[in-house]
Amino acid sequence: MTQTDLIVSVSPHIRQTVTTEAIMWTVVASLMPPLILSVHIFGFQTLIITLVSVAACVATEAISQRLLGRPIRIRDGSAVITGLLLAYVIPPGAPFWMPITGAIMSIFVTKILMGGLGFNIFNPALIGRAFLVATYPVAMTTAWLIPIRDAAIFTHMGRNVDAISAATPLYVLKHEGMAALIDKFGPLKTIYRDFFIGLQPGCIGETSALLILMGGIYLIYKHYITWHIPVSVIASIALLTWIFGGDALFTGNPVLAILSGGVMLGAFFMATDYVTSPIQKNGKLIFGFGIGALTVLIRLKGGYPEGICYAILLMNPLTPTLDQWLKPKRFSEGAK
Amino acid sequence: MIQKFRSYGLAVSMILVLALFAGCKNEHHTIRQAEFSDSHAITITFASPVDADWAKNPANFAVCEKQDPDILADIASLILTPDGKKLTLKLAEPLNQNNHHTVTLKEILSDGKSGGTADVTVKKSYAGYLIQILIGAMIIQNFVFSKYLGLCVFFGTSRKKSTAVGMGITFTIVICFASLMSWFFYQFVLKPFHLDYLQIVVFIGLVSLTVQGVDTILRKVNPKLFKAFGVYLVLVIANCIVIAVPLMLANNEYNVWESLMLALGAGLGFLIALFLMSSVRERLEFADIPKSYQGLPIAFIVAGLFALSFMGFSGMTLF
Amino acid sequence: MPKTTKSNTQLVVSGLLNENPIFRLALSMCPAVGLTTTVMNGLLLGVAVLFVQVFSSCTISLIRNHIHPRIRIPTYTLTIATWVTVIDLLLAAFVPVAYKAMGIFVRLIVAFAIITMRLEVFACKNDLVPSFWDGVGMGLGFLFGMTLLGGVREILGMGSFLGYDLLGFRPLLFFVLPAAGFFTVGFMMAIFNYVETVYNRRKKERMA
Amino acid sequence: MVIKKKYPTFPKGGVHPTAFKDYTANLPVENLPHPHRVCLFLKQHVGAACRVSIPKRKDREPDEALLLGRNPGRIYQKLVTKKDRVRAGDMIGTQDRGLGATLHASICGFVQGVADGLHPMMGKSPAIVITHDPEETPAQYTREDWYSLPRQTLLDRIRLAGIVGLGGAGFPAHAKLDVSPEITLDTLILNGAECEPYLTCDHRIMVENAHEVVEGAKIILRILGIQDCFIGIEANKPEAIESLQKVIDDQSDKNRFRISIKSLAVKYPQGSADQIIQSVTGRVRPSGKRSSSIGVMVQNVYTAKTIYDAVVLNKPFYERVITVSGKGIARPANILVPIGAHLSDIVTWLGGATPDLAKIVVGGPMMGYAVSSLDVPITKTTSGILFLTHDEINTEAHGPCIRCGFCLDACPMGLEPNQVGIWVEAGRGAETAPFGLMDDCFECGSCAFVCPAKRPLVQFIRLARIQIREAEKKKEKQK
């Protein structure tokens, strides 16, 4: 053995096996169940949209890193997550090419230009969505499909997209009221059950609270994310909707508020993005509360029926400040 | 300086968020909302659809000003939306919206059932209106991210947080003074003498005067504070918000309180924008940004992303 | 800056390109972001700024020997305000529709840093003719920047140029939204920077 | 998980690396045959390097001369010179200026003079080279009762034995024990945590030399004039706990000294002074102060054992037990080696390295130093040599920080390693002083251990420290 073979580096010499890639691909895996359900209830084109979105994100990342002379890091899976999340917040009836421009906006403008992974200020997928809402407002707000309840998978591949469309529960609630909601989706009990399972019109990946919850809890169990952000987001939305969401104070429907729209997806998978959320536990709680409050504000008073996308985007830039203000407690601060 | 605001920052922002929710309450179980929809109309929103025949009969409604209930206003027409939930009462004469009005609805027919007679007070909540102006200028229609004003100074002073906060505070103080003076001049000099076309000259002159005044006073009274904020005073004059606000006051014929709220909102909104931008730019200093994009281009793109996320506030009305 | 040694052509070209008020000096950004949704808007405001810049430069250059240094800034401001009032009334009278589209921005010319800055660094130190050409250069540079931005955004956002449809193009509605102004300006600046680095590198290579 | 709940530990941070102690935990200590050559660094510890000469006073024995000799301006004579014949345990370096420790020959043989040796941490530094002489036999030491000896004699014996703290830093033991009268201590903690993976030398000492450890603790208590001693041991060493408990139960003078064992949860870095104090007593050291300010002194169990040797046997500290472990060595072992023996001798004795050896680490895997050559001698503070193969270490290139916050959760001192890393990478390491790494960070490596992006955070922190110091120097110069 020659001595030059030996590796010399600074301690520590052993490392935990968890890697960035492992975390990212675990997130990808835990994002799969909603996609499968979506293909099942909305048809095959949701899979095509998702694949286009993922491919566009990965390609944008590879090409832009190549052009800028950076190491190509598409294997770390972050672009795949962005692609998945971007597709998940697109209505299932949207044309399949739509995510492409959104992907360029997400990956190139929001992430690569800001210095790549770890430095983006805003959540890339949500910027992509906000861009798509601004660019294709009609498709992004009306291309909803009614979920098919008892159909088997793959049987409705050739479904006519334009023929069946429905308003999302939040749209109905905002513009037509509770009575219309019950009229369209059945009694409250059925609504709760259906929405929890995922049988509601909505974006590709956001309909099923159950499946998102499963993925999110798996991530928490793996210690990849903490409970602070999801819990504070969901709790504050429920609380504030209960207080202000009804005709009088304290008459809102908190269950409906957290089951409909993108609350679950946003709380578990978007707001918890490491890069764009505070690093400290108390910072996470404040961040989550801010998202919840802004979501309810936009839902009740704003121009959109759904608010969590913008709420997260509005809280993202506060992350550097929260990180700067809320420092970890030093060891010696425990001294008497 | 940041240390000073740090302790209060979070508490204040929490209170602000809660304040935004105030005013989401209503008074009658069948009637969700009653408001002035324009100078001639009152819109009543019902919780459940009302009977169309009932709603089309003007005899069921009586509108009067609250302080003299004997003088009833003439109802010109009644418009019910197809879903039966929104009724617009068009009146023959314009309403004085600063006074409270009472609308009496007799024997409300809703879902075939009678809901009894209801008296509804229609009022413009003046405090709410003021807060709407304040929050509107501060966040919802943020001057930087939604109205695209004051950008030169915004990009020039948002490199560092301390500079940004200093500029924001100086600007807020100056714009409040300048706007009030402009309002005064406009209402009591320009308008009475029909010198409207001199607006620009007069307003910019007043702004310069304010800046000079603040400069002189601060230099004498508190040299320490002057040292901290003096440098920004010159920049204030190059900020188009400082001239845009007086022009808006004049256009909208705001009264003094409304003017103050608008000015304060504009100033605080600029401070918020500067603060957010500077914290982001401080973080971007560590990032490996492509060479051509370093400096201003990336700042513009970040500002664009801010503008994109502030679109979440579009169409928002608080009260 | 002492008295200029540049020729009139150089003054105009520098204002147009390497001292372009929008992309290089990064002054007067508000209209560049907020108003460049179409070429027409950009063009009109550009003309207005050109007008104010040229006349203010000339005015200041003429009276520069009579201004007390202490009050020079207020003098500039009032001069500009006067000319802005003139153009404001002119536009309102002759092109009311376009004037309305530009909204408050015409009046805000009074607070544009670029005009004050040119008066301070150039017009108050130079004679009438160079000041005039400097004003023309700067104004044209602004006009050029506004038109370019307007053009890019109109083509991308509406698929048209000066209102004429360009066929076979599916527009990205996003670019006519005011928020896109930030992006367009940012990307244009980056392109200017990139061109400059490439130009400088080539120049160095040629020298070597 | 069960262990975590049952036993006390420090609350903030910490990581749980796989222990890998099974390789050597049950192997009794064996002796390394005398190496052909040893290389003894003049500076083996914190403080000043020792001197190879003593004041020239013919009428005095070297020991006494050293005790008195702090007077400058004397004529010095070489303690040993080239070609001198020495026996193991002979003093060859003195401690007569400030903080330092004496140095002793570790084998019998001939002094070859002072040459540069390859120090695992400090690179090339001066060392005394001794070649082995098989004809000479090492000295025999006889037991002596220490109860009657005065405190100063105990301290002198410890000083002359050249004992340094064996926990890692190598602070000279006599200096640490000689506390000034203003400071009131109440508790001694014997640190038997040995939280570094792989290492088992302290464990073996506790199992095999339990009596000496306890007696050593008593000597320290006596010197400090206190009664309470806790021996902190991680719960994954039941044998050590058992054998020590037995000795404690059997001792005759229970009234004079109150020694007890504290089983601690298995968590790295339990063995760090701050952490073990908090685990055992719940006290927290204020930033920038010594642990004596909260009335606690921490000594390693192995230090206690060597103190016993020095005081009771009058035996200097010239050999120590180290753990040789890892998948890269043919036969892992706990082995008693003379200080100054080279890695190559040890490798040869243990049957050589395996072909897939990738990295040799002197010390533990979390805080040890990687060396590039086998030509490195053992020092007084070397607790182990690890021969690690490719599948034990991580050679992945590091990626960008993804701000996951794992390092913040892992840092036992509540620092922000991620920020330091980002600042250093951006070339602004000199501005990282507010992150507190100068006072608090002891480079335990927990942050880098958990980092999913495999960022070399400890390296960044060291760079930051260097840059901060340079910036301070520059500032002073400008003044």
Side-chain angles (χ1 to χ4, degrees):
Chain A
M1 187 201 73
T2 54
Q3 290 168 350
T4 47
D5 293 348
L6 291 173
I7 299 165
V8 178
S9 65
V10 176
S11 61
H13 306 286
I14 50 173
R15 302 284 196 134
Q16 194 165 285
T17 44
V18 177
T19 59
T20 306
E21 288 81 24
I23 295 174
M24 296 289 181
W25 288 109
T26 313
V27 175
V28 170
S30 54
L31 275 171
M32 282 299 116
L35 178 64
I36 295 166
L37 178 84
S38 173
V39 175
H40 179 60
I41 60 173
F42 292 132
F44 212 66
Q45 79 279 0
T46 56
L47 183 66
I48 296 172
I49 294 177
T50 312
L51 287 178
V52 167
S53 170
V54 171
C57 280
V58 174
T60 310
E61 173 138 323
I63 292 169
S64 46
Q65 282 176 338
R66 180 74 188 271
L67 288 180
L68 292 170
R70 304 281 153 81
I72 295 175
R73 292 189 194 279
I74 51 171
R75 270 199 301 175
D76 65 17
S78 61
V80 178
I81 294 179
T82 304
L84 278 177
L85 289 178
L86 178 61
Y88 281 14
V89 289
I90 288 175
F96 72 92
W97 45 260
M98 222 172 69
I100 296 176
T101 45
I104 295 171
M105 191 71 187
S106 292
I107 296 290
F108 180 66
V109 178
T110 318
K111 200 169 109 187
I112 302 289
L113 279 190
M114 302 290 151
L117 181 64
F119 289 101
N120 48 311
I121 305 294
F122 294 91
N123 187 315
L126 288 176
I127 286 287
R129 182 192 144 90
F131 172 81
L132 289 179
V133 170
T135 310
Y136 311 106
V138 179
M140 285 300 286
T141 49
T142 56
W144 312 109
L145 300 181
I146 296 172
I148 296 181
R149 291 166 193 237
D150 300 314
I153 194 165
F154 298 139
T155 51
H156 40 277
M157 273 176 71
R159 195 167 142 185
N160 186 349
V161 171
D162 302 321
I164 322 156
S165 73
T168 61
L170 279 172
Y171 182 87
V172 174
L173 200 59
K174 187 174 179 111
H175 295 278
E176 293 161 48
M178 196 62 163
L181 187 80
I182 292 172
D183 188 40
K184 281 189 179 150
F185 295 95
L188 265 185
K189 232 172 148 186
T190 327
I191 289 182
Y192 291 155
R193 193 197 62 209
D194 283 359
F195 286 13
F196 184 68
I197 297 168
L199 299 173
Q200 57 171 324
C203 294
I204 290 176
E206 70 179 23
T207 59
S208 172
L210 173 70
L211 296 178
I212 295 167
L213 209 58
M214 272 166 49
I217 287 173
Y218 178 68
L219 290 182
I220 293 174
Y221 162 75
K222 291 280 277 179
H223 290 288
Y224 290 169
I225 60 173
T226 60
W227 56 268
H228 300 80
I229 291 178
V231 168
S232 58
V233 169
I234 293 170
S236 56
I237 289 180
L239 185 73
L240 291 172
T241 309
W242 177 58
I243 298 176
F244 298 109
D247 293 335
L249 285 180
F250 302 105
T251 57
N253 189 333
V255 184
L256 202 59
I258 60 172
L259 288 182
S260 53
V263 171
M264 287 288 170
L265 189 68
F268 279 99
F269 287 96
M270 306 230 190
T272 54
D273 174 25
Y274 289 146
V275 185
T276 55
S277 65
I279 212 160
Q280 285 294 312
K281 306 277 187 296
N282 43 3
K284 284 180 200 232
L285 289 175
I286 294 171
F287 182 76
F289 175 77
I291 290 173
L294 285 169
T295 306
V296 176
L297 186 66
I298 294 172
R299 279 182 177 187
L300 294 180
K301 295 279 170 186
Y304 300 97
E306 168 61 315
I308 192 154
C309 157
Y310 289 106
I312 296 174
L313 285 179
L314 286 164
M315 287 307 284
N316 279 162
L318 280 173
T319 300
T321 311
L322 287 173
D323 276 352
Q324 209 174 21
W325 284 359
L326 303 166
K327 293 281 180 189
K329 209 174 157 204
R330 293 267 173 86
F331 175 79
S332 48
E333 278 173 46
K336 278 149 212 154
Chain B
M1 185 155 35
I2 288 170
Q3 297 296 325
K4 242 189 261 172
F5 301 104
R6 180 179 157 166
S7 48
Y8 300 109
L10 291 173
V12 168
S13 55
M14 290 282 166
I15 291 166
L16 268 179
V17 168
L18 286 175
L20 293 182
F21 285 98
C24 298
K25 58 179 165 39
N26 298 288
E27 47 192 58
H28 194 274
H29 71 284
T30 42
I31 295 161
R32 185 178 274 183
Q33 209 173 21
E35 61 190 356
F36 296 113
S37 44
D38 62 301
S39 60
H40 283 74
I42 291 172
T43 303
I44 298 169
T45 315
F46 296 90
S48 52
V50 290
D51 195 279
D53 290 338
W54 171 82
K56 290 279 161 60
N57 185 359
N60 287 328
F61 304 95
V63 181
C64 60
E65 286 197 10
K66 204 168 186 179
Q67 57 263 54
D68 35 10
D70 298 328
I71 308 165
L72 294 180
D74 285 344
I75 297 170
S77 64
L78 290 157
I79 303 156
L80 188 69
T81 49
D83 65 353
K85 284 177 140 186
K86 239 182 205 171
L87 180 68
T88 309
L89 293 93
K90 290 253 180 205
L91 301 166
E93 309 267 318
L95 293 156
N96 181 0
Q97 297 198 0
N98 288 328
N99 289 335
H100 295 182
H101 287 65
T102 308
V103 181
T104 312
L105 302 105
K106 291 164 197 151
E107 299 297 321
I108 302 167
L109 271 177
S110 169
D111 289 337
K113 282 178 284 180
S114 171
T117 300
D119 276 2
V120 191
T121 309
V122 189
K123 63 184 172 192
K124 194 161 78 173
S125 157
Y126 196 62
Y129 180 60
L130 285 183
I131 293 176
Q132 166 83 43
I133 294 178
L134 177 73
I135 307 277
M138 199 160 86
I139 294 170
I140 299 171
Q141 287 286 310
N142 187 290
F143 271 81
V144 176
F145 294 135
S146 301
K147 287 197 177 134
Y148 320 104
L149 295 177
L151 296 182
C152 307
V153 181
F154 174 69
F155 285 109
T157 55
S158 62
R159 200 175 288 267
K160 273 182 119 180
K161 212 181 252 174
S162 51
T163 325
V165 172
M167 179 69 214
I169 293 171
T170 316
F171 180 75
T172 310
I173 295 165
V174 172
I175 199 172
C176 285
F177 279 110
S179 300
L180 285 182
M181 280 170 62
S182 305
W183 177 82
F184 186 83
F185 256 78
Y186 177 71
Q187 291 293 334
F188 296 108
V189 180
L190 295 185
K191 231 164 67 169
F193 295 101
H194 302 289
L195 294 170
D196 283 14
Y197 59 90
L198 279 182
Q199 270 179 16
I200 302 170
V201 180
V202 170
F203 290 167
I204 196 81
L206 285 173
V207 170
S208 320
L209 255 176
T210 318
V211 169
Q212 196 60 50
V214 172
D215 187 288
T216 318
I217 294 169
L218 213 57
R219 204 190 290 262
K220 289 260 164 64
V221 176
N222 195 338
K224 216 172 165 189
L225 207 65
F226 177 77
K227 223 177 170 185
F229 293 131
V231 277
Y232 308 120
L233 276 170
V234 191
L235 282 174
V236 170
I237 207 166
N239 190 336
C240 22
I241 302 177
V242 90
I243 188 74
V245 168
L247 286 173
M248 283 166 72
L249 299 180
N251 271 1
N252 295 345
E253 296 288 344
Y254 278 167
N255 71 18
V256 65
W257 291 114
E258 293 156 358
S259 308
L260 185 65
M261 282 296 148
L262 184 73
L264 195 63
L268 292 179
F270 193 63
L271 174 63
I272 290 174
L274 271 174
F275 181 79
L276 288 175
M277 189 68 181
S278 60
S279 64
V280 166
R281 281 179 82 175
E282 278 187 356
R283 179 157 151 180
L284 281 178
E285 273 182 27
F286 299 102
D288 177 22
I289 294 161
K291 203 167 167 277
S292 317
Y293 286 89
Q294 278 166 14
L296 273 178
I298 199 73
F300 266 89
I301 289 168
V302 170
L305 296 177
F306 268 111
L308 203 53
S309 48
F310 267 73
M311 280 168 70
F313 286 123
S314 66
M316 185 177 284
T317 41
L318 290 179
F319 297 99
Chain C
M1 194 198 276
K3 273 198 174 189
T4 187
T5 51
K6 285 179 180 171
S7 74
N8 296 340
T9 335
Q10 274 173 331
L11 283 173
V12 174
V13 169
S14 92
L16 264 174
L17 293 174
N18 51 354
E19 278 188 40
N20 188 297
I22 292 181
F23 302 121
R24 305 295 309 178
L25 302 181
L27 292 166
S28 325
M29 302 316 299
C30 313
V33 170
L35 204 62
T36 52
T37 45
T38 60
V39 187
M40 206 55 202
N41 277 354
L43 211 61
L44 265 176
L45 195 78
V47 170
V49 169
L50 176 65
F51 173 86
V52 176
Q53 176 79 70
V54 170
F55 279 86
S56 305
S57 281
C58 293
T59 315
I60 290 297
S61 164
L62 281 175
I63 61 167
R64 73 196 143 98
N65 295 327
H66 308 286
I67 310 172
H68 192 275
R70 263 255 180 86
I71 55 151
R72 64 183 198 286
I73 301 280
T75 318
Y76 300 155
T77 316
L78 286 179
T79 314
I80 298 167
T82 313
W83 286 114
V84 171
T85 310
V86 172
I87 189 79
D88 185 53
L89 295 175
L90 280 177
L91 286 175
F94 291 105
V95 277
V97 181
Y99 176 74
K100 214 165 187 190
M102 287 190 285
I104 201 168
F105 278 108
V106 179
R107 292 160 173 215
L108 289 184
I109 295 176
V110 75
F112 286 2
I114 176 68
I115 301 176
T116 321
M117 181 225 159
R118 285 327 286 183
L119 299 186
E120 167 73 10
V121 304
F122 200 95
C124 77
K125 287 161 190 151
N126 286 292
D127 292 333
L128 179 63
V129 177
S131 300
F132 173 77
W133 286 114
D134 181 68
V136 169
M138 281 297 146
L140 278 180
F142 185 79
L143 181 74
F144 165 66
M146 291 292 283
T147 319
L148 190 64
L149 288 170
V152 169
R153 289 178 67 183
E154 194 178 335
I155 292 173
L156 285 176
M158 296 202 277
S160 63
F161 188 79
L162 275 172
Y164 296 104
D165 275 340
L166 303 173
L167 290 175
F169 194 90
R170 198 186 172 99
L172 293 164
L173 198 58
F174 174 70
F175 280 92
V176 288
L177 292 175
F182 285 114
F183 292 103
T184 322
V185 174
F187 284 120
M188 291 308 256
M189 275 182 166
I191 291 170
F192 264 70
N193 284 351
Y194 182 72
V195 170
E196 194 198 14
T197 35
V198 171
Y199 178 77
N200 285 349
R201 205 194 304 144
R202 293 260 165 86
K203 208 167 155 189
K204 231 181 205 171
E205 278 167 12
R206 234 180 291 142
M207 301 266 273
Chain D
M1 285 296 169
V2 183
I3 294 171
K4 219 169 155 184
K5 273 172 198 158
K6 227 163 124 190
Y7 298 108
T9 185
F10 57 101
K12 187 194 282 292
V15 293
H16 298 275
T18 319
F20 293 114
K21 298 209 186 232
D22 309 342
Y23 292 137
T24 52
N26 298 316
L27 302 176
V29 174
E30 58 183 286
N31 283 313
L32 180 74
H34 283 297
H36 167 68
R37 177 180 65 106
V38 293
C39 187
L40 296 140
F41 293 108
L42 296 180
K43 183 168 159 54
Q44 300 249 355
H45 44 73
V46 177
C50 62
R51 242 208 270 265
V52 285
S53 43
I54 57 163
K56 197 174 184 180
R57 285 286 292 274
K58 279 178 185 169
D59 53 338
R60 287 185 195 279
E61 289 299 303
D63 274 8
E64 279 181 272
L66 281 165
L67 294 179
L68 302 169
R70 288 196 183 173
N71 194 352
R74 282 171 192 248
I75 308 155
Y76 282 81
Q77 76 173 26
K78 288 247 174 185
L79 197 58
V80 286
T81 50
K82 234 176 174 177
K83 304 289 178 204
D84 266 4
R85 189 167 193 168
V86 290
R87 290 212 305 178
D90 283 355
M91 189 182 295
I92 54 173
T94 69
Q95 165 270 326
D96 64 342
R97 39 175 188 185
L99 193 62
T102 55
L103 187 64
H104 304 265
S106 58
I107 55 171
C108 307
F110 298 100
V111 175
Q112 296 297 319
V114 177
D116 270 351
L118 202 59
H119 195 284
M121 288 171 227
M122 296 182 287
K124 281 196 172 153
S125 58
I128 297 173
V129 179
I130 301 171
T131 47
H132 182 51
D133 173 16
E135 287 165 26
E136 190 79 58
T137 51
Q140 293 300 310
Y141 299 100
T142 48
R143 206 171 284 266
E144 189 182 343
D145 184 37
W146 61 271
Y147 275 83
S148 53
L149 295 174
R151 176 177 182 265
Q152 191 56 46
T153 314
L154 298 176
L155 275 174
D156 286 341
R157 287 195 179 176
I158 291 167
R159 180 164 64 82
L160 290 174
I163 297 172
V164 299
L166 299 177
F171 195 86
H174 66 91
K176 190 170 175 183
L177 289 171
D178 196 5
V179 288
S180 67
E182 301 97 70
I183 294 165
T184 45
L185 297 177
D186 52 42
T187 310
L188 169 72
I189 294 173
L190 275 205
N191 185 347
E194 199 164 46
C195 56
E196 281 261 16
Y198 292 97
L199 301 186
T200 55
C201 55
D202 288 359
H203 174 223
R204 287 317 302 176
I205 291 292
M206 286 187 280
V207 172
E208 295 176 27
N209 305 77
H211 174 72
E212 285 95 322
V213 170
V214 174
E215 286 294 305
K218 287 179 190 166
I219 297 171
I220 299 171
L221 289 172
R222 168 75 189 288
I223 292 172
L224 299 175
I226 56 176
Q227 289 188 315
D228 288 306
C229 170
F230 294 104
I231 306 177
I233 304 171
E234 282 193 353
N236 60 354
K237 306 180 185 65
E239 289 171 61
I241 296 171
E242 196 183 309
S243 72
L244 279 171
Q245 192 63 55
K246 219 173 139 201
V247 174
I248 292 169
D249 291 343
D250 292 349
Q251 62 183 336
S252 54
D253 48 0
K254 276 183 198 164
N255 300 330
R256 278 183 72 184
F257 304 110
R258 290 191 295 268
I259 300 174
S260 59
I261 292 176
K262 276 252 170 155
S263 299
L264 305 173
V266 181
K267 184 155 103 176
Y268 180 87
Q270 190 86 263
S272 154
D274 285 337
Q275 271 60 40
I276 202 160
I277 291 172
Q278 201 184 5
S279 303
V280 172
T281 66
R283 298 180 205 176
V284 171
R285 178 183 63 87
S287 182
K289 289 194 176 168
R290 294 253 177 101
S291 54
S292 55
S293 69
I294 47 170
V296 184
M297 173 173 289
V298 183
Q299 289 285 0
N300 190 275
V301 283
Y302 199 178
T303 318
K305 193 250 173 194
T306 50
I307 284 174
Y308 170 86
D309 287 348
V311 170
V312 177
L313 302 177
N314 243 323
K315 180 186 171 188
F317 179 51
Y318 63 82
E319 57 183 5
R320 67 162 295 162
V321 176
I322 61 169
T323 300
V324 183
S325 187
K327 284 184 188 160
I329 188 83
R331 186 165 69 83
N334 296 302
I335 185 166
L336 182 69
V337 296
I339 286 157
H342 289 81
L343 260 51
S344 48
D345 299 322
I346 299 163
V347 174
T348 320
W349 171 247
L350 293 175
T354 55
D356 55 347
L357 173 69
K359 197 179 208 175
I360 300 176
V361 175
V362 172
M366 296 297 284
M367 288 180 76
Y369 285 75
V371 293
S372 58
S373 146
L374 285 173
D375 196 27
V376 171
I378 302 294
T379 67
K380 285 182 181 176
T381 52
T382 305
S383 49
I385 305 165
L386 304 179
F387 293 80
L388 302 174
T389 56
H390 279 285
D391 51 326
E392 287 175 287
I393 59 170
N394 189 292
T395 50
E396 267 177 72
H398 69 88
C401 173
I402 55 169
R403 290 168 206 264
C404 59
F406 289 4
C407 53
L408 274 78
D409 293 337
C411 181
M413 303 307 282
L415 305 176
E416 293 165 283
N418 66 327
Q419 289 289 335
V420 179
I422 289 168
W423 285 59
V424 169
E425 270 197 329
R428 292 167 64 179
E431 300 163 49
T432 53
F435 293 112
L437 40 148
M438 296 310 266
D439 294 331
D440 283 345
C441 179
F442 58 97
E443 300 179 5
C444 68
S446 299
C447 48
F449 175 79
V450 293
C451 181
K454 308 293 163 209
R455 291 167 68 76
L457 294 167
V458 175
Q459 192 175 347
F460 287 141
I461 287 169
R462 284 193 192 151
L463 275 171
R465 282 178 153 168
I466 295 169
Q467 285 166 9
I468 290 170
R469 268 191 218 113
E470 277 172 1
E472 273 170 8
K473 264 185 208 161
K474 234 183 220 171
K475 238 185 186 175
E476 270 171 33
K477 252 185 202 171
Q478 278 173 358
K479 273 180 189 172

